[in-house]
């Protein structure tokens, strides 16, 4: 590692020297003390590239730092074309030397962030400056020409909307006076010609050292990005001529540390049709006729109450089966069809439970193949008033694209038209697709996080996931639009999630919004910057507390009783509750988050609260999230990062320096960008580092878990599927091998390689753990090199263990079909077995009474 650091410093110094020379100075003596710094943003990439800098000594010749390097990115609004934009950037330094940056965001707010050094920025704030000026129905104001001037100990901020100037004042950039119209002439943003393009921004005078620091930062980021962009192609150049590598691995059976045995879990989010049309085994799409154009924000008018249905029927709302389920279908002398989710998959001779709320005339139900052949049939004879009716249908054939047909000669009303395979996971009613659930179960997950992800905090405050809407009789649940732009029936609700965890033997980890919706909300004014109004927060906090009562309370409590009524009188033994999901750590967030966390800690001190530290492994939200976590002494925080395989290869030591006295980490979402074997291996390698740091990392879950083909909104995922097939990725098998081979103790080890190149060193991972329950020793070896690796493993204190299982996963870097191959072999053979190029092996040494590895046992 030392060598690599020297190498980095050397490359970095060379780069900096080049930049320095190109910047126009010939020697150190010519360095100016002060220079002009131009802060600006551009329209490139829809204005999403953030804050840039250029410097000059004469106001004429400008040198871009980067150029286009982002020193600060706007986090306002959705990921769509208008969100995250920055324009009209104004920079001002206050009397305490703090820089304040204000910018326009294509909405009726002005954004603000502050920084000591222009590199590390504090949380962003969004000031609702036009709130009292714009009337509802008005077009979104475009805020232009933001300028700030200091006068009489306060700052007056001016801006222009529709040729009118407005202003507001502040002393601290936290509290602002009410916006007023301004009749004088306000200052203008500076304009600078940068390589032929006129850019608008602010010119300030700074020390030359500031420019040096900005340049160094930019170069360091560029260097890291280049290093992390490693690929099989660049690796093959890097390792030309490399012969196979030998590794002498010594595992010290007596030196161990306790680690978490919950390092592999599952992140479940209803994204990519993971719930309806996915894990939830319901085969009828839009069974309740509650799909709505608003599910897709009006972007598709076919996405309405009739979605997935065809034939002659009308939607009625008169006297519905439940107030939460207002729509139903009325069929008059005719036939209607439902095509399920891209066709209904049926298996020959398997039974399917059909149910429906119906009233009116007799009707027949048929399951038909796409060619029109009837595969199963039943008759339903409803009453004059709503009644739930059932039938069992047995399919005569295996097909993947059947449909359900309902025909009547009279008039009949139907709602909650449902078809479930009888064979669900653990044969649960209203259960889960067994093939998908079994695939998840095979990972041996120690916990399941649900219901997200972004789904948990939702698209605007009205879309925050409300667990209470998801329990009780199916027809009474409140469906909702999904932040991923489809429909959540809530058939897979909190009861089913808890039950799934119990069936898996995994800890439930519900994640609840911290009183703010997703910072990527497209729901404008109801977005992250405002949160749930404080006057409604007590009710929201109560919802969080009620969830714990629902899971754990005895059956005499209000919510414990509801759990019992749903068929589970025994508590679910909830131990963890996540508050917040990778939120933007704003003042609005912090106030609500602290309130919820404190309430849970006070009422349920035994519950382990998992906090949140933003969407990235660094930056403002990460730093601010950790600041609050330290202050609240949170037991665990949830970290998220999606990165390139190169990042995972280069950051295996990420947790080595974490302070063990602070919060533990739940790595709640991570994945390298891709489902090729190279990605899977980079993840396997990184996980050796996670196991080594299993004393500070408590849990980890790859994300997202599921994706239905044709409905993939987020790549990459762990398990792809369609109506009849499950397609685990190579990444899945890495998770599975870790999940099936966890440890309770990490055994200290040393690795000596025959090749001293640090790039070689970085691509070999070793982890040795011992499982308390079986006493087995588990060694994981990862080889991300294009050459074979010959290990020679010595374990001190191993005793006379003889048998091992040897599982290897190998393939080309591009491979997507590699599968683990398991062999039994003796320990000696396993300890010296050559690992093929690009491979991951797990050696499990079976404990015998003679095996004594660890005196702490
Ligand atoms: O895993 C997909 C999304 O990634 C999650 O919803 C969100 O938390 C993250 O940004």
């Amino acid at each position: 590692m030392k060598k690599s650091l020297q190498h980095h410093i050397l490359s970095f110094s060379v780069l900096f020297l080049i930049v320095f020379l190109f910047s126009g100075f010939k020697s150190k003596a010519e360095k100016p003390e002060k220079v002009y710094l131009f802060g600006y943003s551009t329209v490139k990439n829809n204005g999403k590239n953030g804050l840039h800098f250029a410097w000059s000594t004469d106001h004429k010749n400008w040198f871009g730092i980067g150029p286009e390097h982002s020193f600060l990115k706007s986090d306002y609004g959705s990921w769509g074309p208008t969100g995250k934009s920055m324009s009209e950037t104004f920079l001002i330094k206050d009397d305490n030397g703090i820089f304040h940056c204000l910018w326009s965001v294509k909405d009726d707010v002005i954004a603000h962030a502050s920084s000591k050094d222009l590199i590390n920025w504090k949380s962003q704030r969004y000031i609702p400056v036009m709130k009292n000026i714009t009337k509802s129905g008005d077009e979104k104001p475009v805020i232009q020409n933001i300028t700030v001037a200091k006068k009489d100990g306060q700052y007056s901020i001016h801006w222009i909307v529709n040729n009118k100037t407005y202003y507001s004042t502040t002393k601290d950039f936290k509290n602002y006076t009410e916006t007023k119209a301004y009749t004088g002439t306000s200052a203008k943003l500076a304009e600078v010609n940068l390589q032929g393009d006129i850019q608008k921004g602010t010119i300030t005078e700074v020390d030359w050292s500031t420019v040096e620091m900005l340049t160094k930062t930019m170069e360091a980021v560029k260097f890291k990005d280049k290093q992390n962009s490693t690929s099989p192609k660049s690796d093959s150049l890097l390792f030309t001529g490399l012969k196979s590598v030998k590794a002498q691995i010594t595992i010290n059976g007596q030196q161990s540390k306790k680690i978490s045995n919950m390092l592999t879990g599952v992140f479940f989010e209803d994204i990519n049709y993971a719930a309806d049309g996915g894990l939830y085994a319901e085969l009828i799409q839009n069974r309740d006729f509650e799909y709505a154009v608003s599910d897709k924000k009006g972007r598709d008018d076919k996405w309405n109450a009739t979605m997935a249905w065809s034939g002659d029927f009308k939607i009625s709302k008169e006297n519905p089966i439940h107030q939460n389920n207002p729509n139903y279908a009325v069929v008059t002398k005719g036939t209607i069809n439902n095509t399920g989710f891209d066709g209904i998959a049926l298996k020959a001779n398997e039974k399917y439970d059909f149910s429906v709320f119906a009233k009116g005339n007799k009707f027949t139900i048929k399951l038909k193949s796409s060619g029109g052949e009837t595969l199963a049939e039943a008759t339903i004879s409803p009453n004059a008033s709503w009644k739930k009716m059932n039938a069992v249908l047995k399919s005569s054939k295996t097909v993947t694209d059947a449909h359900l047909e309902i025909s009547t000669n009279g008039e009949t009303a139907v709602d909650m038209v449902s078809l479930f395979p009888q064979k669900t996971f653990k044969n649960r009613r209203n259960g889960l697709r067994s093939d998908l659930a079994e695939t998840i179960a095979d990972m041996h997950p120690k916990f399941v996080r649900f219901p997200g992800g972004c789904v948990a905090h939702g698209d605007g405050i009205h879309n925050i996931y409300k667990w209470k809407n998801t329990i009780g009789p199916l027809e009474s649940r409140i469906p909702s639009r999904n932040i991923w732009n489809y429909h959540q029936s809530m058939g897979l609700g909190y009861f089913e999630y808890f039950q799934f965890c119990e069936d898996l033997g995994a800890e439930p980890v519900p994640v609840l919004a911290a009183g703010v919706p997703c910072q990527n909300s497209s729901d404008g004014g109801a977005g992250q910057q405002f949160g749930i109004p404080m006057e409604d927060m007590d009710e929201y906090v109560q919802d969080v507390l009620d969830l714990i009562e629902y899971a754990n309370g005895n059956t005499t409590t209000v919510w414990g009783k509801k759990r019992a009524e749903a068929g589970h009188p025994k508590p679910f033994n909830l131990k963890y509750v996540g508050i917040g999901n990778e939120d933007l750590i704003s003042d609005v967030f912090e106030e609500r988050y602290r309130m919820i966390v404190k309430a849970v800690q006070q009422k349920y001190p035994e519950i382990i609260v998992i906090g949140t530290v933003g969407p990235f492994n660094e930056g403002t939200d990460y730093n601010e999230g950790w600041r609050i976590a330290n202050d609240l002494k949170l037991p665990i925080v949830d970290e998220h990062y999606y990165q390139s395989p190169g990042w995972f290869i280069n950051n295996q030591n990420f947790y080595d320096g974490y302070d063990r006295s602070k919060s533990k980490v739940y790595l709640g979402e991570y994945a390298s960008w891709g489902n090729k074997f190279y990605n899977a291996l980079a993840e396997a390698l990184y996980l050796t580092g996670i196991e080594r740091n299993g004393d500070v990392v408590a849990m980890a879950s790859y994300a997202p878990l599921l994706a239905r083909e044709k409905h993939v909104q987020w790549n990459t995922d762990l398990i792809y599927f369609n109506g009849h097939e499950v397609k685990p990725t190579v990444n899945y098998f890495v998770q599975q091998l870790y999940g099936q081979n966890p440890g309770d103790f990490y055994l200290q080890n040393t690795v000596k390689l025959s090749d001293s190149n640090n790039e070689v060193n970085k691509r070999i991972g070793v982890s040795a753990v011992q499982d308390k329950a079986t006493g087995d020793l588990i060694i994981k070896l990862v080889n991300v090199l294009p050459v074979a690796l010959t290990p020679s493993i010595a374990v001190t204190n191993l005793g006379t263990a003889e048998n091992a299982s040897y599982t290897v996963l190998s393939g080309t870097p591009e491979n997507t079909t590699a599968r683990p191959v398991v062999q039994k072999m003796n320990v000696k053979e396993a300890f010296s077995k050559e690992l093929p190029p690009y491979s991951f092996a797990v050696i499990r040494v079976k404990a015998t009474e003679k095996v004594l590895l660890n005196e702490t046992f």
Side-chain angles (χ1 to χ4, degrees):
M1 283 297 136
K2 246 189 185 166
K3 197 174 167 211
S4 119
L5 192 66
Q6 278 167 5
H7 175 75
H8 292 187
I9 291 169
L10 195 70
S11 328
F12 175 67
S13 315
V14 171
L15 278 169
F16 186 64
L17 193 67
I18 293 167
V19 171
F20 187 72
L21 290 177
F22 271 102
S23 66
F25 300 115
K26 291 190 187 71
S27 72
K28 276 194 173 183
E30 283 186 48
K31 281 188 193 176
E33 254 180 48
K34 297 267 181 198
V35 286
Y36 300 109
L37 187 71
F38 179 54
Y40 66 101
S41 46
T42 69
V43 291
K44 283 189 194 160
N45 188 21
N46 279 327
K48 292 180 205 280
N49 287 355
L51 176 65
H52 310 302
F53 291 116
W55 64 271
S56 167
T57 50
D58 56 9
H59 257 256
K60 281 187 208 137
N61 298 302
W62 290 93
F63 302 94
I65 304 177
E68 287 287 317
H69 178 82
S70 302
F71 286 90
L72 165 68
K73 279 198 171 183
S74 177
D75 204 358
Y76 186 86
S78 74
W79 289 312
T82 55
K84 315 292 183 206
S85 81
M86 178 185 277
S87 63
E88 312 292 315
T89 318
F90 196 91
L91 258 185
I92 187 167
K93 195 175 186 179
D94 70 16
D95 293 343
N96 300 319
I98 305 290
F99 289 97
H100 296 269
C101 182
L102 291 96
W103 68 97
S104 170
V105 293
K106 296 190 188 151
D107 206 346
D108 54 359
V109 300
I110 289 181
H112 165 269
S114 66
S115 169
K116 265 200 275 196
D117 52 12
L118 299 172
I119 294 161
N120 299 296
W121 292 86
K122 292 278 185 194
S123 303
Q124 299 185 10
R125 291 199 177 100
Y126 310 113
I127 318 146
V129 287
M130 297 301 289
K131 201 170 154 197
N132 300 326
I133 308 282
T134 10
K135 293 181 202 82
S136 74
D138 281 1
E139 255 186 49
K140 283 252 180 256
V142 180
I143 294 179
Q144 289 175 306
N145 201 69
I146 301 167
T147 58
V148 186
K150 189 163 180 232
K151 208 177 150 202
D152 306 330
Q154 60 179 15
Y155 301 89
S156 69
I157 305 165
H158 289 71
W159 64 95
I160 297 173
V161 171
N162 293 334
N163 298 319
K164 263 194 183 167
T165 305
Y166 297 92
Y167 77 100
S168 164
T169 59
T170 182
K171 284 188 177 144
D172 52 9
F173 291 94
K174 285 184 187 151
N175 303 297
Y176 295 82
T177 58
E178 200 179 311
T179 295
K180 295 213 169 99
Y182 181 72
T183 44
T185 331
S186 63
K188 286 241 161 1
L189 279 171
E191 290 190 353
V192 162
N193 186 333
L194 290 176
Q195 276 121 29
D197 287 331
I198 305 292
Q199 305 293 1
K200 281 204 294 180
T202 332
I203 298 172
T204 28
E205 209 182 14
V206 295
D207 293 342
W208 171 243
S209 59
T210 303
V211 171
E212 277 184 329
M213 271 320 294
L214 292 172
T215 311
K216 272 187 192 170
T217 304
M218 177 272 294
E219 287 299 343
V221 171
K222 260 195 189 169
F223 178 79
K224 273 205 226 153
D225 286 352
K226 187 159 185 297
Q227 198 186 31
N228 293 341
S229 69
T230 178
S231 65
K233 208 167 158 199
S234 62
D235 278 12
S236 65
L237 288 176
L238 199 60
F239 301 120
T240 318
L242 180 70
K243 300 277 176 287
S244 71
V245 175
K246 290 194 177 68
Q248 247 184 43
I249 300 166
T250 310
I251 295 167
N252 190 335
Q254 285 156 308
Q255 268 196 31
S256 68
K257 63 174 173 184
K258 178 105 186 65
I259 58 165
S260 165
N261 60 6
M262 289 182 60
L263 289 178
T264 308
V266 158
F267 163 96
F268 182 90
E269 172 165 29
D270 186 5
I271 183 172
N272 310 312
Y273 279 38
D276 293 309
L279 187 59
Y280 186 48
E282 174 64 82
L283 291 166
I284 303 298
Q285 184 170 194
N286 190 17
R287 67 180 175 194
D288 53 5
F289 304 93
E290 298 301 333
Y291 274 33
V293 279
S294 54
D295 291 342
K296 283 188 180 290
K297 299 214 125 188
R299 286 182 209 128
D300 177 358
D301 39 325
K302 288 202 193 95
W303 188 280
N304 58 33
T306 67
M307 175 68 192
W309 292 95
S310 60
D312 292 330
F313 66 103
K314 64 177 189 347
I315 298 291
S316 177
K317 288 179 187 289
E318 214 178 296
N319 183 21
I321 55 169
H322 194 279
Q323 66 199 24
N324 294 342
N325 196 334
N327 297 333
Y328 59 90
V330 181
V331 191
T332 313
K333 289 191 182 158
T335 299
I336 61 169
N337 300 301
N338 186 285
T339 45
F341 297 88
D342 311 319
I344 298 174
L346 299 171
K347 284 198 183 138
N349 298 321
E350 291 212 348
K351 290 185 183 160
Y352 295 85
D353 287 330
F354 174 84
S355 67
V356 64
F357 278 80
K359 61 177 178 178
N361 291 97
K362 187 164 91 173
F363 58 92
T364 56
I365 44 166
K366 287 181 184 171
L367 290 172
K368 282 187 155 182
S369 72
S370 54
E373 186 184 348
T374 300
L375 308 170
E377 182 172 357
T379 304
I380 304 281
S381 302
N383 297 334
S385 52
W386 286 119
K387 192 170 173 220
K388 190 170 180 189
M389 318 284 293
N390 302 294
V392 175
L393 297 170
K394 189 168 158 190
S395 177
S396 59
K397 278 196 176 155
T398 296
V399 291
T400 59
D401 54 357
H403 60 270
L404 173 84
E405 191 183 276
I406 299 179
S407 320
T408 179
N409 287 325
E411 183 173 285
T412 193
V414 289
D415 202 354
M416 295 301 287
V417 185
S418 170
L419 185 74
F420 268 87
Q422 282 192 349
K423 280 191 191 156
T424 56
F425 184 57
K426 307 275 178 196
N427 297 322
R428 297 282 183 199
R429 301 298 291 237
N430 191 44
L432 307 180
R433 229 177 100 166
S434 59
D435 54 355
L436 277 174
E438 293 292 357
T439 308
I440 296 168
D442 281 349
M443 281 170 62
H444 295 190
K446 290 293 195 309
F447 64 90
V448 178
R449 173 210 179 115
F450 57 88
C454 289
V455 157
H457 53 181
D459 191 5
I461 51 173
H462 305 298
N463 191 241
I464 288 178
Y465 194 97
K466 296 210 175 64
W467 73 269
K468 286 182 181 170
N469 292 351
T470 76
I471 59 163
L474 295 177
E475 65 279 11
S476 72
R477 297 186 186 181
I478 303 179
S480 169
R481 91 169 274 266
N482 183 312
I483 189 171
W484 302 105
N485 290 314
Y486 57 97
H487 184 88
Q488 299 173 87
S489 74
M490 301 303 182
L492 172 53
Y494 257 70
F495 180 83
E496 291 75 23
Y497 282 125
F498 280 128
Q499 187 172 258
F500 182 42
C501 294
E502 194 168 80
D503 286 346
L504 288 171
E507 298 291 348
V509 182
V511 174
L512 296 116
V516 289
C518 179
Q519 65 269 38
N520 307 310
S521 291
S522 57
D523 198 3
Q528 171 92 359
Q529 67 277 18
F530 298 117
I532 294 178
M534 284 311 283
E535 60 269 27
D536 298 335
M537 274 303 290
D538 285 342
E539 194 185 331
Y540 184 75
V541 171
Q542 191 56 48
D543 280 355
V544 176
L545 299 176
D546 289 345
L547 173 66
I548 301 168
E549 185 175 291
Y550 180 74
N552 293 352
N554 70 45
T555 53
T556 58
T557 62
V558 175
W559 292 98
K561 188 164 172 248
K562 290 193 195 293
R563 182 193 68 240
E565 281 163 5
H568 202 287
K570 278 197 197 145
F572 281 117
N573 281 324
L574 175 67
K575 298 191 186 83
Y576 301 88
V577 168
I579 304 296
N581 173 61
E582 59 166 55
D583 298 274
L584 173 135
I585 314 287
S586 60
D587 297 347
V588 174
F589 163 86
E590 187 170 344
E591 188 175 16
R592 288 156 182 78
Y593 177 64
R594 282 181 183 269
M595 193 174 167
I596 303 166
V597 170
K598 282 193 179 147
V600 174
Q601 285 174 336
Q602 246 167 38
K603 181 143 190 210
Y604 295 107
E606 70 283 9
I607 290 288
I608 299 170
V609 175
I610 304 177
T612 184
V613 296
F616 306 114
N617 55 288
E618 59 188 358
T620 307
D621 299 323
Y622 174 86
N623 295 332
E624 294 293 304
W626 268 103
R627 171 184 61 78
I628 307 174
N630 291 339
D631 188 41
L632 290 174
K633 299 197 173 21
L634 288 181
I636 308 185
V637 295
D638 178 16
E639 292 190 351
H640 293 182
Y641 37 86
Y642 297 90
Q643 293 283 5
S644 62
W647 186 92
F648 284 98
I649 291 171
N650 285 303
N651 287 277
Q652 292 162 58
N653 301 342
F654 190 74
Y655 293 106
D656 288 4
Y658 265 49
D659 185 339
R660 269 53 186 168
S661 67
K662 297 200 168 146
S663 314
K664 303 271 180 265
V665 173
Y666 163 34
L667 176 51
E669 293 185 31
Y670 73 97
S672 76
W673 300 321
N675 286 127
K676 299 204 167 139
F677 195 53
Y678 190 71
N679 300 84
L681 274 186
E683 287 152 13
L685 187 73
Y686 193 74
L687 288 172
T688 60
I690 294 279
E691 282 196 336
R692 186 176 63 248
N693 285 289
D695 53 333
V696 68
V697 181
M699 307 188 264
S701 46
Y702 182 102
L705 178 70
L706 296 176
R708 184 174 180 119
E709 287 174 347
K710 297 191 190 158
H711 302 280
V712 180
Q713 294 147 321
W714 181 287
N715 264 317
T716 54
D717 305 284
L718 201 59
I719 303 166
Y720 290 81
F721 63 94
N722 55 35
H724 59 286
E725 288 166 304
V726 177
K727 302 177 178 181
T729 59
V730 278
N731 317 64
Y732 166 86
F733 290 102
V734 166
Q735 295 294 319
Q736 193 199 50
L737 286 175
Y738 271 91
Q740 293 181 354
N741 294 288
D744 297 274
F745 292 91
Y746 185 83
L747 307 179
Q748 199 260 335
N749 58 73
T750 53
V751 183
K752 264 198 205 151
L753 297 180
S754 57
D755 193 301
S756 59
N757 177 351
N758 189 48
E759 291 302 324
V760 169
N761 178 24
K762 273 195 283 189
R763 284 162 178 78
I764 293 169
V766 177
S767 167
V769 297
Q770 190 162 23
D771 171 46
K772 197 172 174 185
T774 57
D776 289 358
L777 163 69
I778 300 151
I779 304 167
K780 299 181 181 94
L781 303 175
V782 185
N783 176 18
V784 197
L785 289 168
V787 297
L789 174 76
T790 314
S792 161
I793 303 175
V795 182
T796 61
N797 227 31
L798 180 62
T800 54
E802 276 164 13
N803 298 321
S805 75
Y806 188 95
T807 310
V808 68
L809 190 57
S810 69
T812 62
E814 299 295 311
N815 183 296
T816 55
T817 55
R819 296 289 178 266
V821 177
V822 192
Q823 281 174 277
K824 298 271 169 236
M825 59 181 73
N826 69 47
V827 168
K828 211 171 149 210
E829 206 185 330
F831 278 7
S832 54
K833 190 169 169 53
E834 184 183 273
L835 261 85
Y838 296 111
S839 56
F840 170 37
V842 179
I843 304 169
R844 189 165 185 129
V845 179
K846 295 274 156 225
T848 64
E849 68 282 1
K850 289 176 194 144
V851 176
L852 177 71
L853 273 170
N854 195 313
E855 284 169 351
T856 53
F857 263 67

